[in-house]
Amino acid sequence: VILMRNGEIIYEKRTDIGPGKPFTTQFKVKRVPDPQYRISLLDRENKELISYQEQKPIYEDELPEPVSPPAKPADIENMEELVLAGQRIMQFHNPGLDPEDYFLEAISRDPYNSMANLHLGNLAAKAGKFDEAADYYRKTIGRITKNYTRPRDCEALFRLGVVLKKQKKYDAAIDTLYRATWDQAWYAAAYKELAEISMLKGDFNEALDQLNHSLSRNAVNPISYAMKSAVLRQTGNRAEAGISARRARVLDPLDHMATFELLLNKAIPSSEFITLLNDNKENYLELTCRYINAGLIEDAAGVVYMALTSEDSILSSYPILYYYGAWLAEKQEDKMLVAEYYSSAAAASTDYVFPFRFETLEILEAAIDFNPADARAWYYMGNILYDHQPDKALNCWKQAVELEHGLAIAHRNLGWGYYRYLDDIEGAIGYYETAVDLKEDDPRYYYELDILYEMNNESLERRLELFASNPGVVRERNDSYLREIEVLLLNGRYDSAIFRLSTHTFLRQEGVVNLHDLFVDAHLLKGREFLLSGEHTLALEQFLLADTYPSNQLIGRFSKYQKEAQIYYYTGLAYLAMDEKGKAKNYFRKAVDTPAGTSEYLYYRALSQNELGRQEDAMETSGQLIRAGEEALEQAGDLDFFAKFGEKVDINARKANAYYYMALGYLSSGDTEKAQEAFSQAFALKNSILWANIHSE
């Protein structure tokens, strides 16, 4: 019996119609006086409700407290809360907050705070800063092991052991990892790392013992079983190796190492392994790294060979695989293959190549040692490092363009880094302009360069020249094409903008969020042009078109679309000019009734209220706009804690929009002097607010 929220009770009756045959089910519904009741007793014979009793409501009246942004690190007095605030930011990523700030504040008060140093070590290790990470971990260990204490939580010992292993300080790593096994939480993981070190040293019997210890605490780890299979194969025990590999595949049918082990044991055909890896270059590289990290160079080379001899041309020409192949060939002292692979890697296309593993850095460094003129190796190193060590990344890209000036993508990346990391927009523009000159057919470069032009308040004519220099290129990307349309509107090229908006199908994806706004702007501006020249019928046609959703936009009508206030206001003006006052008033009323929040579209509400003779209401709306602008100006530099994605905050743009709101408020209230002053302040910060250019005329 189920009680529905609307007070309906559903009786379920099942009938057994014979041996081995399914039940038939009937449902009946009965009403009860109140939905907050549950059944107490049911007469199953007559299907009547005998009694019911009150139960607690499903929903409480009071909602839980909303999430609040963390205070600034220096303002959090309690040390535990300070560390937990940073920990939460690590857990729930926010692009505008850095958890490191909170942990650094903590160690400024207590240099050996164990949790703050542990988190700082984890952040440094994630960024490939292994020396820094080791220092932080040692401070944590020093605090938690004071007075010869065996710590309850050995995470810092385990993390330090892993870092020492990456630094190839194997003896120190072994000692630290064994100490991490004191803690059951890190026992299995520590023994797995110890087994890898033993494999690197060629001590496979010791590695087997360590893997067995690891599996004794975590018997559902396919990675350890796959490693055990490799160890058993090295010791000649192929039968047990096959059993271990199959056990790994039972736990994880997609485990690449276990599948390759079965292939090496000739237990499966090569086609099964190839199908599993799906011609995915990263699958091959990940498996190669697993063998390299265990010291199994020959097996790693076998994986790379299968990739480079693949029938898939994208896989077999991937430069990072060639770099790995050359490095492995060096380890195997195959000098001819080393030269061949390094040459192929340096000559391969950089398109869609973005390495990210720190293991690849050592391999690229070896490539540079072999051929100091290899610009591509420097470029790829920069790609790996940028998110974690941007200073080093920028130096790598500079080395790349010095060695190969025509490497457009490296110039583009330098532009990206100069803007995003160094906050040097002028320097970024220089690199982007070089990238565009070198590679005129990449629409992304035009989009990103124009964003910088806008932020630098370059002239609207210069921005138009950028897109006019290579017509048609930006059409290949929706975001670039919309950027060109926006620039056309800013320069008064309404017909060109409408043509592009009408003849291109825009797929719904990231980068096309402002598509319909541009469509509306284009038709409103064209209609306004007709209205000013006295062509009222043509103006009305454009205004009515602005309120449509053509099929090439692949969207339906928006609900509560604030821009409708602007559409209806101009439509009302057109009808008014045609002396159709009834229709004009109807549209002015619709403009007034359109939800506008605290947006710029309050301006069109105020103008419509004036047209309807509601001057007091219009003044109040104008005041709302002015206050909205003033508040936005005060908050222009504040961080939006709840923003998870998006472009870097442009404070100048925020301030410009605030002045623009104030200008509209003054303009609609009749204070043209203050309006022009606010427009001037807006243009000094940002000259590309489309309707500000129109209303300030």
Side-chain angles (χ1 to χ4, degrees):
V1 179
I2 304 171
L3 178 62
M4 308 298 285
R5 248 180 269 164
N6 62 1
E8 291 180 349
I9 293 181
I10 299 179
Y11 303 6
E12 178 182 334
K13 177 183 178 183
R14 294 184 176 182
T15 305
D16 186 355
I17 61 174
K21 295 184 178 180
F23 288 103
T24 60
T25 305
Q26 297 175 353
F27 296 95
K28 293 190 177 182
V29 177
K30 189 177 186 72
R31 298 286 300 179
V32 294
D34 191 292
Q36 303 297 344
Y37 288 86
R38 64 178 174 82
I39 291 173
S40 174
L41 184 62
L42 181 70
D43 182 345
R44 298 185 182 276
E45 284 283 328
N46 300 312
K47 301 175 183 58
E48 292 293 332
L49 185 67
I50 295 174
S51 66
Y52 47 83
Q53 62 188 29
E54 191 172 354
Q55 78 169 3
K56 188 177 180 181
I58 297 172
Y59 298 107
E60 299 288 348
D61 292 334
E62 294 184 8
L63 293 173
E65 290 184 11
V67 174
S68 58
K72 294 180 180 179
D75 296 336
I76 301 177
E77 295 181 6
N78 184 282
M79 183 72 82
E80 183 182 30
E81 290 181 2
L82 177 62
V83 174
L84 287 174
Q87 185 175 302
R88 179 178 174 81
I89 295 167
M90 285 178 67
Q91 187 176 355
F92 302 99
H93 172 70
N94 187 296
L97 293 173
D98 188 348
E100 192 174 76
D101 295 339
Y102 291 81
F103 304 136
L104 289 173
E105 174 66 25
I107 65 170
S108 72
R109 304 179 195 177
D110 176 6
Y112 287 87
N113 181 279
S114 61
M115 289 306 297
N117 277 292
L118 175 62
H119 288 313
L120 285 167
N122 289 343
L123 289 171
K126 185 178 179 181
K129 302 174 182 178
F130 299 127
D131 289 338
E132 282 185 32
D135 288 341
Y136 286 126
Y137 290 140
R138 288 189 178 104
K139 287 180 181 178
T140 294
I141 293 166
R143 172 66 60 86
I144 64 177
T145 60
K146 190 175 182 179
N147 290 330
Y148 310 102
T149 304
R150 286 195 174 189
R152 292 169 62 94
D153 184 348
C154 291
E155 180 180 355
L157 288 160
F158 173 77
R159 301 290 185 193
L160 177 59
V162 172
V163 165
L164 291 169
K165 175 174 168 252
K166 289 181 182 295
Q167 293 176 311
K168 301 185 179 179
K169 299 176 181 179
Y170 297 127
D171 290 340
I174 290 169
D175 177 69
T176 308
L177 288 166
Y178 269 121
R179 293 168 70 197
T181 63
W182 296 340
D183 182 353
Q184 290 296 313
W186 299 99
Y187 184 96
Y191 267 112
K192 175 190 165 293
E193 296 294 329
L194 286 164
E196 281 196 356
I197 295 173
S198 296
M199 293 171 74
L200 284 162
K201 292 184 170 186
D203 190 345
F204 295 107
N205 289 324
E206 181 70 13
L208 183 59
D209 181 64
Q210 289 160 337
L211 283 169
N212 285 333
H213 274 81
S214 178
L215 288 165
S216 72
R217 294 293 187 275
N218 184 3
V220 291
N221 187 349
I223 294 173
S224 292
Y225 278 114
M227 284 178 60
K228 184 176 178 180
S229 175
V231 169
L232 289 166
R233 176 170 52 82
Q234 293 294 323
T235 62
N237 193 343
R238 289 186 172 270
E240 288 293 327
I243 292 171
S244 189
R246 291 191 184 282
R247 190 167 295 170
R249 289 252 288 181
V250 168
L251 293 168
D252 180 6
L254 302 180
D255 190 280
H256 300 149
M257 189 176 193
T259 307
F260 193 65
E261 286 297 318
L262 290 173
L263 176 62
L264 293 175
N265 279 320
K266 300 181 180 179
I268 60 170
S270 60
S271 59
E272 185 174 339
F273 174 75
I274 292 169
T275 300
L276 179 63
L277 268 68
N278 197 32
D279 291 332
N280 187 313
K281 49 190 177 290
E282 298 303 337
N283 287 342
Y284 280 95
L285 285 169
E286 188 65 23
L287 179 54
T288 300
C289 286
R290 285 177 68 177
Y291 278 115
I292 290 174
N293 291 337
L296 301 178
I297 300 301
E298 185 178 343
D299 298 329
V303 175
V304 171
Y305 177 78
M306 290 191 72
L308 294 178
T309 56
S310 167
E311 294 180 359
D312 184 273
S313 59
I314 296 175
L315 178 62
S316 61
S317 63
Y318 192 60
I320 306 302
L321 281 165
Y322 276 109
Y323 281 120
Y324 270 80
W327 185 85
L328 291 164
E330 278 188 305
K331 298 292 183 184
Q332 295 175 303
E333 299 182 353
D334 188 340
K335 294 182 180 180
M336 186 177 296
L337 196 58
V338 169
E340 178 187 336
Y341 279 172
Y342 275 139
S343 177
S344 297
S349 171
T350 60
D351 291 348
Y352 308 107
V353 182
F354 202 98
F356 54 88
R357 296 175 181 83
F358 286 122
E359 292 96 330
T360 308
L361 290 174
E362 180 183 353
I363 287 163
L364 293 171
E365 287 167 358
I368 292 168
D369 288 340
F370 182 85
N371 177 17
D374 185 357
R376 309 295 175 90
W378 283 108
Y379 162 69
Y380 297 132
M381 284 179 66
N383 288 1
I384 297 169
L385 290 167
Y386 179 74
D387 274 347
H388 311 286
Q389 302 177 46
D391 286 315
K392 289 185 178 180
L394 291 174
N395 287 332
C396 288
W397 289 330
K398 286 177 181 177
Q399 288 284 345
V401 298
E402 283 182 16
L403 292 168
E404 185 181 344
H405 180 75
L407 193 57
I409 186 63
H411 288 280
R412 177 265 175 190
N413 285 7
L414 279 164
W416 179 274
Y418 265 66
Y419 158 49
R420 294 280 179 154
Y421 176 62
L422 297 179
D423 205 22
D424 180 354
I425 295 178
E426 289 283 354
I429 287 173
Y431 280 114
Y432 264 105
E433 288 178 337
T434 301
V436 170
D437 289 340
L438 292 170
K439 190 172 176 58
E440 297 178 343
D441 61 348
D442 193 327
R444 176 182 53 182
Y445 294 179
Y446 295 86
Y447 170 77
E448 294 175 353
L449 176 55
D450 186 60
I451 288 174
L452 295 175
Y453 279 164
E454 180 181 10
M455 294 184 71
N456 207 43
N457 226 20
E458 299 290 345
S459 71
L460 300 180
E461 293 77 16
R462 183 178 183 184
R463 293 177 62 187
L464 184 63
E465 288 172 8
L466 170 66
F467 291 102
S469 61
N470 285 287
V473 172
V474 295
R475 191 179 303 171
E476 298 173 20
R477 281 177 64 105
N478 281 339
D479 53 3
S480 305
Y481 202 32
L482 289 175
R483 197 79 190 176
E484 180 189 25
I485 291 168
E486 184 178 341
V487 171
L488 286 168
L489 292 176
L490 285 165
N491 282 274
R493 307 291 183 88
Y494 308 141
D495 290 324
S496 297
I498 290 171
F499 175 79
R500 285 163 173 74
L501 286 162
S502 305
T503 58
H504 183 78
T505 298
F506 296 89
L507 301 178
R508 302 309 297 164
Q509 61 189 45
E510 289 186 21
V512 295
V513 290
N514 65 335
L515 165 63
H516 192 67
D517 287 350
L518 292 176
F519 171 82
V520 172
D521 286 336
H523 286 290
L524 289 183
L525 288 166
K526 186 63 183 176
R528 182 177 178 275
E529 194 176 72
F530 282 132
L531 195 63
L532 292 174
S533 65
E535 299 174 87
H536 304 145
T537 303
L538 293 176
L540 179 62
E541 287 178 6
Q542 292 295 320
F543 297 149
L544 293 174
L545 271 173
D547 196 28
T548 62
Y549 290 76
S551 59
N552 67 315
Q553 293 185 18
L554 303 179
I555 57 173
R557 176 171 286 277
F558 297 147
S559 62
K560 299 181 180 179
Y561 184 41
Q562 294 179 341
K563 208 167 174 62
E564 286 177 350
Q566 186 182 22
I567 298 171
Y568 297 148
Y569 168 71
Y570 278 110
T571 307
L573 286 185
Y575 277 120
L576 196 62
M578 297 167 69
D579 205 28
E580 296 192 40
K581 295 180 181 179
K583 289 183 178 179
K585 284 187 176 181
N586 182 46
Y587 273 96
F588 291 139
R589 290 191 193 100
K590 289 174 72 175
V592 170
D593 292 338
T594 300
T598 56
S599 71
E600 64 186 279
Y601 303 108
L602 285 172
Y603 173 69
Y604 303 100
R605 175 184 291 177
L607 295 182
S608 297
Q609 287 168 332
N610 273 323
E611 292 292 345
L612 293 169
R614 295 163 53 182
Q615 276 70 31
E616 288 187 12
D617 291 340
M619 289 299 292
E620 174 58 30
T621 303
S622 299
Q624 282 182 264
L625 253 179
I626 294 168
R627 288 192 296 274
E630 290 171 343
E631 289 174 8
L633 192 61
E634 290 177 5
Q635 300 168 5
D638 292 347
L639 171 71
D640 183 359
F641 173 71
F642 297 101
K644 294 297 178 187
F645 307 100
E647 293 296 318
K648 185 177 179 180
V649 174
D650 183 356
I651 294 176
N652 283 346
R654 282 184 165 187
K655 289 181 178 179
N657 282 320
Y659 283 122
Y660 168 52
Y661 279 27
M662 293 163 64
L664 292 180
Y666 289 129
L667 193 63
S668 59
S669 67
D671 194 337
T672 55
E673 185 176 342
K674 282 189 176 180
Q676 289 305 319
E677 182 182 339
F679 277 129
S680 297
Q681 289 173 306
F683 291 140
L685 295 165
K686 183 179 179 181
N687 62 9
S688 56
I689 302 175
L690 178 60
W691 286 94
N693 285 285
I694 301 301
H695 294 310
S696 63
E697 293 174 351

